[in-house]
Amino acid sequence: MNAELTMAAAFLLGFLGSTHCLAMCGGISAALMSGSKPGGGLTAKAVAYNLGRISSYTFAGLLAGTVGLWLGSGLDLLGLSLGLRLALGILMLAIGLHLLIDWQGIRRLESIGGRLWQRLAPLARRLLPVRSAWHATALGALWGWLPCGLVYSVLLAAAASGSPLQGALVMLAFGLGTAPAMLAVATGSGLLGRLPRQPLKRLAGGAILLYGTWTLASPIAHLVQPHAHAHSSEATFQCREPSHHDLHQ
């Protein structure tokens, strides 16, 4: 998968998965709105919060790409790439099922990052209520580390890139994809409130399921092909052996 396609896919995942992001971060959006009058001040806080959040995603992508580069230098690069794509596809299926039928299996994965969040949560609470754009930026930067299966899935793609820069760009594209919905909620836009939430959630879940299936196709094909080639070679050898034997009679 080339860099441009990976970034485009990350952006679409962020955009389609915004319903999941709203469920995770809706409380913070409400906190941004509380005590602020509609207008420039509230908008500035909302933008600052999302800049902080996307910055954390980008830094996490940088780390993931670095880890992918380090692992690729010591392991079989093709095997590592296929393994990460396989894990990414499975995770996408889990997220799609969560959005489509409210399957809760993804929550178990999100609990893995709970220990880190337990350390960051007290710092985040000290920034509430949000009194300035700087507070909003810091809060967003901390909130970017909230355990989230959707974020984890894109981090796998960042690691699979095997490049710190590419990993950072993948997560940046993902963060930008989530921004429209998050900004709309934080600024009190009535647009999302008028849209039917459940149909949109199911539509996003179905689209992510399709993406997960497509992502799984490549590693599964690579796993199946060696066996197919082995059987083909064996069959060819068996077909040629009698003619070889006949030539020596």
PDB file of all heavy atoms in Angstrom, residues 163-180:
ATOM      1  N   SER A 163       8.199   3.731   8.854  1.00  0.00           N
ATOM      2  CA  SER A 163       8.864   5.027   8.728  1.00  0.00           C
ATOM      3  C   SER A 163       8.307   5.985   9.777  1.00  0.00           C
ATOM      4  O   SER A 163       7.082   6.147   9.864  1.00  0.00           O
ATOM      5  CB  SER A 163       8.630   5.604   7.329  1.00  0.00           C
ATOM      6  OG  SER A 163       8.905   6.987   7.288  1.00  0.00           O
ATOM      7  N   PRO A 164       9.158   6.614  10.577  1.00  0.00           N
ATOM      8  CA  PRO A 164       8.661   7.586  11.560  1.00  0.00           C
ATOM      9  C   PRO A 164       7.866   8.718  10.920  1.00  0.00           C
ATOM     10  O   PRO A 164       6.794   9.096  11.418  1.00  0.00           O
ATOM     11  CB  PRO A 164       9.938   8.101  12.222  1.00  0.00           C
ATOM     12  CG  PRO A 164      10.930   7.000  12.042  1.00  0.00           C
ATOM     13  CD  PRO A 164      10.610   6.387  10.711  1.00  0.00           C
ATOM     14  N   LEU A 165       8.373   9.264   9.808  1.00  0.00           N
ATOM     15  CA  LEU A 165       7.674  10.363   9.137  1.00  0.00           C
ATOM     16  C   LEU A 165       6.339   9.894   8.585  1.00  0.00           C
ATOM     17  O   LEU A 165       5.312  10.560   8.766  1.00  0.00           O
ATOM     18  CB  LEU A 165       8.538  10.931   8.014  1.00  0.00           C
ATOM     19  CG  LEU A 165       7.888  12.033   7.161  1.00  0.00           C
ATOM     20  CD1 LEU A 165       7.505  13.224   8.031  1.00  0.00           C
ATOM     21  CD2 LEU A 165       8.818  12.457   6.033  1.00  0.00           C
ATOM     22  N   GLN A 166       6.336   8.745   7.901  1.00  0.00           N
ATOM     23  CA  GLN A 166       5.095   8.243   7.343  1.00  0.00           C
ATOM     24  C   GLN A 166       4.097   7.895   8.437  1.00  0.00           C
ATOM     25  O   GLN A 166       2.893   8.149   8.311  1.00  0.00           O
ATOM     26  CB  GLN A 166       5.378   7.003   6.478  1.00  0.00           C
ATOM     27  CG  GLN A 166       4.151   6.371   5.849  1.00  0.00           C
ATOM     28  CD  GLN A 166       3.419   7.310   4.907  1.00  0.00           C
ATOM     29  OE1 GLN A 166       4.019   8.251   4.384  1.00  0.00           O
ATOM     30  NE2 GLN A 166       2.148   7.056   4.676  1.00  0.00           N
ATOM     31  N   GLY A 167       4.586   7.330   9.545  1.00  0.00           N
ATOM     32  CA  GLY A 167       3.701   7.020  10.663  1.00  0.00           C
ATOM     33  C   GLY A 167       3.053   8.268  11.230  1.00  0.00           C
ATOM     34  O   GLY A 167       1.855   8.276  11.546  1.00  0.00           O
ATOM     35  N   ALA A 168       3.838   9.343  11.356  1.00  0.00           N
ATOM     36  CA  ALA A 168       3.290  10.612  11.851  1.00  0.00           C
ATOM     37  C   ALA A 168       2.250  11.171  10.889  1.00  0.00           C
ATOM     38  O   ALA A 168       1.196  11.666  11.316  1.00  0.00           O
ATOM     39  CB  ALA A 168       4.423  11.618  12.056  1.00  0.00           C
ATOM     40  N   LEU A 169       2.502  11.075   9.582  1.00  0.00           N
ATOM     41  CA  LEU A 169       1.568  11.609   8.594  1.00  0.00           C
ATOM     42  C   LEU A 169       0.263  10.807   8.570  1.00  0.00           C
ATOM     43  O   LEU A 169      -0.818  11.375   8.373  1.00  0.00           O
ATOM     44  CB  LEU A 169       2.212  11.604   7.207  1.00  0.00           C
ATOM     45  CG  LEU A 169       3.346  12.613   6.997  1.00  0.00           C
ATOM     46  CD1 LEU A 169       3.981  12.424   5.629  1.00  0.00           C
ATOM     47  CD2 LEU A 169       2.840  14.041   7.157  1.00  0.00           C
ATOM     48  N   VAL A 170       0.362   9.500   8.764  1.00  0.00           N
ATOM     49  CA  VAL A 170      -0.844   8.655   8.803  1.00  0.00           C
ATOM     50  C   VAL A 170      -1.745   9.074   9.958  1.00  0.00           C
ATOM     51  O   VAL A 170      -2.961   9.247   9.802  1.00  0.00           O
ATOM     52  CB  VAL A 170      -0.453   7.168   8.919  1.00  0.00           C
ATOM     53  CG1 VAL A 170      -1.665   6.305   9.301  1.00  0.00           C
ATOM     54  CG2 VAL A 170       0.121   6.661   7.607  1.00  0.00           C
ATOM     55  N   MET A 171      -1.140   9.271  11.139  1.00  0.00           N
ATOM     56  CA  MET A 171      -1.940   9.661  12.296  1.00  0.00           C
ATOM     57  C   MET A 171      -2.431  11.099  12.184  1.00  0.00           C
ATOM     58  O   MET A 171      -3.512  11.432  12.680  1.00  0.00           O
ATOM     59  CB  MET A 171      -1.128   9.479  13.579  1.00  0.00           C
ATOM     60  CG  MET A 171      -0.906   8.016  13.964  1.00  0.00           C
ATOM     61  SD  MET A 171      -2.462   7.093  14.182  1.00  0.00           S
ATOM     62  CE  MET A 171      -3.156   7.914  15.615  1.00  0.00           C
ATOM     63  N   LEU A 172      -1.668  11.956  11.535  1.00  0.00           N
ATOM     64  CA  LEU A 172      -2.124  13.321  11.286  1.00  0.00           C
ATOM     65  C   LEU A 172      -3.368  13.303  10.393  1.00  0.00           C
ATOM     66  O   LEU A 172      -4.353  14.013  10.659  1.00  0.00           O
ATOM     67  CB  LEU A 172      -1.014  14.137  10.627  1.00  0.00           C
ATOM     68  CG  LEU A 172      -1.388  15.546  10.144  1.00  0.00           C
ATOM     69  CD1 LEU A 172      -1.832  16.420  11.307  1.00  0.00           C
ATOM     70  CD2 LEU A 172      -0.219  16.190   9.406  1.00  0.00           C
ATOM     71  N   ALA A 173      -3.326  12.488   9.338  1.00  0.00           N
ATOM     72  CA  ALA A 173      -4.478  12.381   8.439  1.00  0.00           C
ATOM     73  C   ALA A 173      -5.694  11.841   9.182  1.00  0.00           C
ATOM     74  O   ALA A 173      -6.818  12.319   8.993  1.00  0.00           O
ATOM     75  CB  ALA A 173      -4.136  11.474   7.258  1.00  0.00           C
ATOM     76  N   PHE A 174      -5.484  10.872  10.049  1.00  0.00           N
ATOM     77  CA  PHE A 174      -6.582  10.331  10.851  1.00  0.00           C
ATOM     78  C   PHE A 174      -7.185  11.415  11.737  1.00  0.00           C
ATOM     79  O   PHE A 174      -8.412  11.577  11.811  1.00  0.00           O
ATOM     80  CB  PHE A 174      -6.082   9.165  11.699  1.00  0.00           C
ATOM     81  CG  PHE A 174      -7.034   8.748  12.779  1.00  0.00           C
ATOM     82  CD1 PHE A 174      -8.172   8.013  12.487  1.00  0.00           C
ATOM     83  CD2 PHE A 174      -6.801   9.102  14.112  1.00  0.00           C
ATOM     84  CE1 PHE A 174      -9.063   7.637  13.480  1.00  0.00           C
ATOM     85  CE2 PHE A 174      -7.674   8.734  15.107  1.00  0.00           C
ATOM     86  CZ  PHE A 174      -8.813   7.992  14.791  1.00  0.00           C
ATOM     87  N   GLY A 175      -6.332  12.153  12.425  1.00  0.00           N
ATOM     88  CA  GLY A 175      -6.816  13.210  13.310  1.00  0.00           C
ATOM     89  C   GLY A 175      -7.605  14.267  12.555  1.00  0.00           C
ATOM     90  O   GLY A 175      -8.643  14.741  13.032  1.00  0.00           O
ATOM     91  N   LEU A 176      -7.129  14.637  11.376  1.00  0.00           N
ATOM     92  CA  LEU A 176      -7.849  15.624  10.563  1.00  0.00           C
ATOM     93  C   LEU A 176      -9.209  15.080  10.124  1.00  0.00           C
ATOM     94  O   LEU A 176     -10.176  15.841   9.997  1.00  0.00           O
ATOM     95  CB  LEU A 176      -7.013  16.002   9.341  1.00  0.00           C
ATOM     96  CG  LEU A 176      -5.736  16.798   9.624  1.00  0.00           C
ATOM     97  CD1 LEU A 176      -4.931  16.997   8.344  1.00  0.00           C
ATOM     98  CD2 LEU A 176      -6.057  18.138  10.271  1.00  0.00           C
ATOM     99  N   GLY A 177      -9.287  13.765   9.912  1.00  0.00           N
ATOM    100  CA  GLY A 177     -10.565  13.169   9.546  1.00  0.00           C
ATOM    101  C   GLY A 177     -11.596  13.251  10.660  1.00  0.00           C
ATOM    102  O   GLY A 177     -12.798  13.385  10.399  1.00  0.00           O
ATOM    103  N   THR A 178     -11.139  13.193  11.910  1.00  0.00           N
ATOM    104  CA  THR A 178     -12.067  13.279  13.040  1.00  0.00           C
ATOM    105  C   THR A 178     -12.451  14.724  13.368  1.00  0.00           C
ATOM    106  O   THR A 178     -13.421  14.954  14.092  1.00  0.00           O
ATOM    107  CB  THR A 178     -11.452  12.654  14.309  1.00  0.00           C
ATOM    108  OG1 THR A 178     -10.317  13.437  14.730  1.00  0.00           O
ATOM    109  CG2 THR A 178     -11.008  11.216  14.065  1.00  0.00           C
ATOM    110  N   ALA A 179     -11.683  15.685  12.863  1.00  0.00           N
ATOM    111  CA  ALA A 179     -11.855  17.074  13.274  1.00  0.00           C
ATOM    112  C   ALA A 179     -13.218  17.677  12.955  1.00  0.00           C
ATOM    113  O   ALA A 179     -13.784  18.388  13.805  1.00  0.00           O
ATOM    114  CB  ALA A 179     -10.744  17.936  12.677  1.00  0.00           C
ATOM    115  N   PRO A 180     -13.795  17.459  11.760  1.00  0.00           N
ATOM    116  CA  PRO A 180     -15.070  18.133  11.466  1.00  0.00           C
ATOM    117  C   PRO A 180     -16.167  17.843  12.482  1.00  0.00           C
ATOM    118  O   PRO A 180     -16.833  18.772  12.958  1.00  0.00           O
ATOM    119  CB  PRO A 180     -15.431  17.597  10.069  1.00  0.00           C
ATOM    120  CG  PRO A 180     -14.126  17.263   9.446  1.00  0.00           C
ATOM    121  CD  PRO A 180     -13.286  16.730  10.569  1.00  0.00           C
TER     122      PRO A 180
END
